[in-house]
Amino acid sequence: MGQRHQLFVIARINGRYRQLAAIHHQWLYGHTAIRRCRDTLNIFGNKTNRIPLQQELIAASQKDDDFWLAAHDDRHKNEHVPFPFIMTCLVTGASFNLDGYYHGVSVEVFYMAYDQGNNNNGITVFDVTEPANPRYCFVDFMGMESEREVDLDTPLSARTYLEAYYELHDPANDEVGLLPLVESFQNRSLITKEALADTWPDGAWEHQSPSNVDSTDPLDLGGLDIADKPKSLRNQAMDQFLDVLLDPSEQDVHTLMAETDHLNDFVPSLRRRLYDQASILEPSAKNIGLLHKALEGVTTVDLSLFKLWSAEHLSAVVSHLQAGVDGLKVLNMSNMPDLTEAELAAIMKLEDGKATPHLNTIIILETPKISLDFVAKHFGKYDVYHSELFRRALYLPHLSRYGAAPPPALQFDAPDNISQLVWVGISTAQSWDKKFRLEDGHFDWNTLKYSTHMGSGYGRDPNLSYMTFMLDIPLPIAKATQGLRRLLQYMPLVQTYPFDNVFAGGARCFATTSTLDDDGYSIGPLSQTLSEERQYLRDDPAGSGRNQYLKPGHWAILLIHEAFNARDQEQLDRYTTLDENEDKTPAYKPVKRLRYMLAQATPDSSTSGSRFLTVDVPTYIDSVLKDDADQIRTIKTWWAKEMANVKTGVSFYDEQDAQAILDRVYSKEGFGEVGTGGNSD
């Protein structure tokens, strides 16, 4: 059953096309397939994803020929998920959109043949050889379940694929927005048939030869112009000057550079030359000084190419950059298989407490000697790109049909960060029944009972259920507020049964955030706990360890979803305007769709009488950023603007109700380790 569709990522690696990722989508065809293709192209082409995408292409270029052969034991090979950032981009783009769309996908072996999947609506292929210009195509290889036939085994454009299902100019389709959807692909490049033939040489591609693949498109490893063009006299003179400057026997650097300040192209030219020679460049005092000069004003720095430089040398570069006016903000140390935790600690000056103050993003993909435990302990306040952090959610058995057992729990040690999410669902039946209300109109949480079961009849169930999740990804302040903003937009729109729509979609709300950009197409790791099978909590006075524990000083997001199972907003509006004398109409405050607050466990509640500090986002920002006035102003201004545009019934929750529910959710005795929770039955 279903409208089955597979999606693939390919790229030209060392002269020929290779597969990098494959997934299965059980219900994807027509305009929905086009929308998922559009979003995935936006993700692959997003500038904030450029560095991690390039780093995995570099990792792919270092694989030997045997790696690309199909394994006899599919399960064993796919447990690795060799390119987890690329896979996360594909999974997120194909399964999620903030407009309320979510549909689960399953991870396939990365080398799965294009025609190997259970299919009746074609495939989508993405070519990420050029990260700045990803290409796409659709392919029908067996005859799709569409209104009209298309050519088999040939690249299809978005228009051609759509026309197989719809009459584009039929007024009946105007509401779907087919023509604007087609126009959004106007500047997108189509994958060639030759590229498909090179990727899958056994396919029936009208006998196209793999040798005909266009090999003129360079692998973009930094936007450098590597085309063979005639050089101007000025460029030739600059090359000659750099030859002299970098000559190991030349030591009079200050004299040579005395007149370079007025040469606008000197610093970019020096930077280009140093990176061209990075793998063989000796870490002399002269070369370190030249690199300092070359990186003046640069806030995104790649030090992974300087293979001969020790941790001490790289630490000197990092310290120098941090002392600059703008400081170092993004550091790439990927594809360094020999980099140890001790060396990374030295580079980051972790032991002396002088960790880089301006840094917000660390990219350490393909660094196998850097463990996740080390990352969680030291880098919780950063936006972190680590291969195993991306693989965590991709291991899940329900996501990958070849999956291994879920990885162990992970918590990032950053008290000011938001580390937990609590979701409470209040059904329409509860909202309408006065026995669950106090005289002042607030909910009587002691009367509401907690249930461990949520079924399709949940809206008629008089019980209350809640779920709590450890957010096992690093959430620095800017990233956390972006994720919460997306949650508040997404959750009121999504269909809430099955509940995977809410929480797996919630994982994607946090994954599509970045400290670098906020256009919704930046990709970070998926939370494994939000993505995994649901865990239900219940009130447990016996203290069996099922209740969650919030450490003093740590923060949690509390989301209370009221009347969430109403059919639509019209039903909610009607409910709030009914006459007080009509049946089941309470004489108290209108019900909102979604309310939120941030909560922190207080170390001492004897004076305040409350175990939790409950605040809105602006107050949270003031609390955790303290003396950083510029960042406080930036985030608070952004938040106010964003929330003014939210039209889905979101509000800050009432203090009295929030304190009551937090007392019920979190154990007063503190029994249960952090990270526990859920029904163990």
Side-chain angles (χ1 to χ4, degrees), residues 32 82 114-115 243 284 358 429 531 544 569 605:
T32 305
Y114 74 97
D115 58 353
D243 288 341
S284 64
H358 301 286
S531 300
S544 66
Q569 187 63 43
S605 61

Side-chain angles (χ1 to χ4, degrees), residues 206-280:
E206 296 186 7
H207 308 292
Q208 296 287 334
S209 171
S211 63
N212 292 331
V213 175
D214 180 5
S215 61
T216 60
D217 296 329
L219 174 60
D220 181 358
L221 296 179
L224 303 183
D225 183 5
I226 63 174
D228 187 13
K229 299 178 181 178
K231 292 186 176 181
S232 66
L233 291 176
R234 180 184 178 89
N235 289 340
Q236 293 179 45
M238 179 62 73
D239 284 347
Q240 293 172 1
F241 175 74
L242 292 174
D243 288 341
V244 174
L245 187 64
L246 291 172
D247 189 325
S249 64
E250 179 57 61
Q251 297 299 320
D252 192 8
V253 176
H254 294 292
T255 301
L256 288 173
M257 295 182 60
E259 298 183 5
T260 60
D261 289 342
H262 69 282
L263 299 176
N264 294 333
D265 57 343
F266 169 69
V267 171
S269 298
L270 175 62
R271 183 163 60 246
R272 183 179 295 109
R273 177 64 71 86
L274 290 174
Y275 272 87
D276 285 345
Q277 299 181 5
S279 62
I280 60 173

Side-chain angles (χ1 to χ4, degrees), residues 218-509:
L219 174 60
D220 181 358
L221 296 179
L224 303 183
D225 183 5
I226 63 174
D228 187 13
K229 299 178 181 178
K231 292 186 176 181
S232 66
L233 291 176
R234 180 184 178 89
N235 289 340
Q236 293 179 45
M238 179 62 73
D239 284 347
Q240 293 172 1
F241 175 74
L242 292 174
D243 288 341
V244 174
L245 187 64
L246 291 172
D247 189 325
S249 64
E250 179 57 61
Q251 297 299 320
D252 192 8
V253 176
H254 294 292
T255 301
L256 288 173
M257 295 182 60
E259 298 183 5
T260 60
D261 289 342
H262 69 282
L263 299 176
N264 294 333
D265 57 343
F266 169 69
V267 171
S269 298
L270 175 62
R271 183 163 60 246
R272 183 179 295 109
R273 177 64 71 86
L274 290 174
Y275 272 87
D276 285 345
Q277 299 181 5
S279 62
I280 60 173
L281 195 67
E282 293 288 343
S284 64
K286 181 185 80 170
N287 289 339
I288 292 175
L290 290 175
L291 186 59
H292 289 169
K293 178 67 175 179
L295 294 177
E296 284 182 356
V298 177
T299 59
T300 298
V301 174
D302 181 2
L303 296 180
S304 65
L305 302 177
F306 296 87
K307 304 299 184 184
L308 302 180
W309 295 36
S310 69
E312 182 180 359
H313 298 130
L314 296 177
S315 178
V317 175
V318 170
S319 297
H320 177 81
L321 294 172
Q322 280 298 99
V325 175
D326 297 319
L328 175 62
K329 295 181 179 178
V330 182
L331 177 62
N332 177 43
M333 302 283 289
S334 299
N335 286 296
M336 300 181 70
D338 297 323
L339 181 67
T340 66
E341 294 175 355
E343 289 171 334
L344 184 57
I347 293 170
M348 303 297 297
K349 296 187 179 298
L350 298 179
E351 292 184 0
D352 59 11
K354 297 180 180 178
T356 51
H358 301 286
L359 191 69
N360 56 39
T361 303
I362 300 175
I363 305 174
I364 44 176
L365 297 166
E366 297 299 321
T367 52
K369 293 185 179 180
I370 308 299
S371 70
L372 265 186
D373 288 339
F374 177 86
V375 172
K377 180 178 179 180
H378 296 290
F379 296 147
K381 68 176 184 178
Y382 302 115
D383 206 353
V384 181
Y385 294 75
H386 184 282
S387 297
E388 290 306 316
L389 188 58
F390 279 92
R391 286 191 181 105
R392 280 175 59 83
L394 303 175
Y395 278 120
L396 297 176
H398 79 279
L399 179 61
S400 172
R401 61 187 65 189
Y402 304 98
L410 183 70
Q411 182 178 15
F412 283 80
D413 188 11
D416 284 341
N417 288 8
I418 296 170
S419 60
Q420 295 188 35
L421 171 67
V422 179
W423 179 89
V424 180
I426 304 173
S427 70
T428 305
Q430 293 164 325
S431 295
W432 286 0
D433 197 327
K434 289 186 178 181
K435 72 180 181 183
F436 296 127
R437 296 281 186 158
L438 301 172
E439 290 184 1
D440 61 5
H442 289 93
F443 282 103
D444 183 355
W445 299 101
N446 289 320
T447 302
L448 287 165
K449 301 299 181 183
Y450 293 77
S451 170
T452 58
H453 174 70
M454 285 186 175
S456 59
Y458 172 71
R460 296 180 295 276
D461 190 342
N463 297 321
L464 177 74
S465 293
Y466 67 94
M467 284 173 264
T468 182
F469 305 89
M470 295 298 300
L471 297 177
D472 56 338
I473 55 175
L475 287 174
I477 311 305
K479 189 178 177 75
T481 51
Q482 291 175 25
L484 176 56
R485 161 66 178 85
R486 286 178 167 79
L487 278 174
L488 297 180
Q489 177 180 343
Y490 171 79
M491 281 194 169
L493 297 174
V494 70
Q495 294 183 2
T496 51
Y497 184 81
F499 289 92
D500 290 344
N501 292 352
V502 177
F503 303 112
R508 286 148 178 79
C509 288

